[in-house]
Amino acid sequence: MSSTELRRTALDALHRSLGATMTDFAGWDMPLRYGSERDEHNAVRTGAGLFDLSHMGEITVTGPQASQFLDHALVGNIGTVKPGRARYTMICREDGGILDDLIVYRLDDTGAGAAHAGSPHTGSPHTGSPHYMVVANASNAQVVLDALVERSAGFDTEVRDDRDAYALLAVQGPESSGILQSLTDADTDVEGMKYYAGQPGTVAGVPALIARTGYTGEDGFELFVKPEHAVELWQALTKAGEGVGLIPCGLSCRDTLRLEAGMPLYGNELSASLTPFDAGFGRVVKFEKEGDFVGRAALTEAAARAERTPPRALVGLIAEGRRVPRAGYAVVVGGEVIGEVTSGAPSPTLGRPIAMAYVDVAYAVPGTAGVGVDIRGSHEPYEVVALPFYKRQK
């Protein structure tokens, strides 16, 4: 896709008015940063950050057999998700390779959550049937949509592309619940919401699906709203957060935040060449659920293979020096390659460069001596640590 064809979110003009540095991300023109990446990162760790995530892919699944269909199409046990809750899962190919990692929200069975948030499809013929919203990564949204449509054959269910029906704003950081609570009515207990819950509500007068989810390692919320409400909601959140350190944040600090929190990024830690077991996320595959699901046979083999011969393990690496590792750099011991960096960046919280890497299991134990990263021919020393690098205080 050429730069002239980049898609723009409903907040595009606002980002530019704030002086954002824009970048092409998965075919969208998105804010990379507004000022200092370090300041934005630290704001999320200590106060709050406000993100535009409208490039994410929302796919609605409804109908009498929606639960059975999603149990067939995805590796998780979606049928056990209660209305008002969400689950992290993956969609895999028949050979077990990961197509994407997803969050699936189960809305109430009238579809009121989606309708409240602004989906135009309020008169669903499936009232009383299970109602889900599948949220895919921007780079994989079309692939996921196509796979779900193809896999829905034979099920009494509807798969609908709702990417244009929503804008998505995120408020992340220790002050996020207080900011949101100040903008909601007394009937909406934002601070009492559970992690991975989603409920309809009104934020600053704007109807929204309020989800307590995020990708930063902090407490936080994601707000699904109609695109035409995005600017007024952004401005209301900015005003409400003025006294507690909220600032606008771009994709760059989102990446360092998720890296510190040990959260995988598709295309780095996850890919179609890896099964969930290869990637260390076998826990998301639920063999105990009823019926067949796409990739079950291959994933059964992958699970047995991982039991016999553990694959490379995903570990954290902390630099002893100042040189920053990047994706694709070799991890070495005594001149031999024992793994590969998947993500690397300077860590504002730790004050040193960090990386995630897949390494041979013999070198995956925290504190393993002699591990280095080949940075342009120089083997820089790194400490092996367990993930995540950073865990928030509850």
Side-chain angles (χ1 to χ4, degrees):
M1 181 176 282
S2 73
S3 58
T4 56
E5 297 170 313
L6 290 180
R7 298 184 68 183
R8 296 185 173 191
T9 76
L11 292 159
D12 183 77
L14 189 147
H15 297 317
R16 293 170 194 279
S17 75
L18 293 172
T21 299
M22 306 297 286
T23 189
D24 175 357
F25 185 82
W28 290 81
D29 207 12
M30 297 297 293
L32 186 64
R33 70 181 76 82
Y34 298 86
S36 158
E37 294 167 13
R38 180 179 293 273
D39 288 349
E40 291 173 25
H41 180 109
N42 290 337
V44 175
R45 289 277 179 257
T46 60
L50 179 56
F51 297 82
D52 178 10
L53 304 181
S54 303
H55 59 314
M56 300 293 281
E58 296 88 4
I59 302 162
T60 299
V61 177
T62 57
Q65 292 188 304
S67 301
Q68 296 95 314
F69 158 62
L70 287 172
D71 276 343
H72 165 73
L74 310 179
V75 301
N77 196 343
I78 307 305
T80 60
V81 179
K82 300 280 190 280
R85 300 308 304 270
R87 184 159 295 166
Y88 176 78
T89 188
M90 293 181 182
I91 181 169
C92 290
R93 303 190 307 194
E94 198 68 67
D95 67 2
I98 303 166
L99 282 176
D100 201 13
D101 61 334
L102 312 164
I103 295 181
V104 179
Y105 297 90
R106 182 165 179 182
L107 310 176
D108 69 48
D109 294 342
T110 65
H116 202 85
S119 173
H121 309 282
T122 55
S124 171
H126 300 300
T127 298
S129 298
H131 192 111
Y132 298 91
M133 182 166 66
V134 178
V135 180
N137 287 297
S139 56
N140 295 328
Q142 190 63 49
V143 170
V144 173
L145 177 67
D146 291 345
L148 289 177
V149 169
E150 181 183 331
R151 295 175 189 189
S152 68
F155 289 91
D156 187 1
T157 189
E158 178 191 354
V159 177
R160 190 174 63 232
D161 181 2
D162 268 350
R163 284 176 288 178
D164 293 334
Y166 295 103
L168 177 56
L169 280 63
V171 187
Q172 298 283 303
E175 299 288 350
S176 57
S177 64
I179 291 168
L180 272 193
Q181 192 66 70
S182 74
L183 294 172
T184 55
D185 52 44
D187 295 337
T188 307
D189 182 14
V190 170
E191 293 177 322
M193 281 180 69
K194 293 180 177 175
Y195 188 48
Y196 267 66
Q199 66 183 46
T202 303
V203 183
V206 171
L209 173 65
I210 305 168
R212 197 166 205 165
T213 46
Y215 193 51
T216 63
E218 295 296 339
D219 187 17
F221 298 82
E222 297 182 327
L223 307 171
F224 297 85
V225 300
K226 280 185 179 179
E228 55 264 37
H229 291 153
V231 171
E232 64 179 293
L233 181 56
W234 179 284
Q235 291 171 338
L237 289 164
T238 299
K239 189 166 177 22
E242 275 175 355
V244 291
L246 179 140
I247 62 172
C249 294
L251 293 178
S252 184
C253 82
R254 190 164 177 254
D255 192 51
T256 53
L257 289 159
R258 70 93 194 167
L259 176 55
E260 287 184 350
M263 294 177 168
L265 174 65
Y266 194 90
N268 290 49
E269 288 73 41
L270 308 175
S271 72
S273 64
L274 295 174
T275 72
F277 295 95
D278 298 325
F281 290 89
R283 62 185 179 275
V284 305
V285 181
K286 304 300 181 185
F287 292 117
E288 70 274 14
K289 63 181 175 177
E290 287 184 23
D292 196 17
F293 62 89
V294 177
R296 181 189 272 273
L299 290 168
T300 301
E301 286 182 18
R305 193 166 58 244
E307 196 71 35
R308 290 193 309 271
T309 311
R312 282 181 166 180
L314 187 63
V315 301
L317 299 173
I318 300 179
E320 293 183 17
R322 310 302 303 175
R323 297 187 73 183
V324 179
R326 298 297 182 192
Y329 286 11
V331 182
V332 293
V333 170
E336 284 191 34
V337 175
I338 55 99
E340 184 177 300
V341 171
T342 54
S343 297
S347 165
T349 304
L350 276 65
R352 286 193 284 171
I354 60 172
M356 286 199 280
Y358 282 114
V359 301
D360 294 346
V361 288
Y363 302 97
V365 178
T368 298
V371 174
V373 175
D374 186 338
I375 301 180
R376 297 189 181 90
S378 173
H379 291 184
E380 301 290 327
Y382 273 75
E383 179 189 356
V384 178
V385 299
L387 293 170
F389 300 97
Y390 167 85
K391 208 166 194 174
R392 70 183 174 94
Q393 301 300 308
K394 299 295 183 192

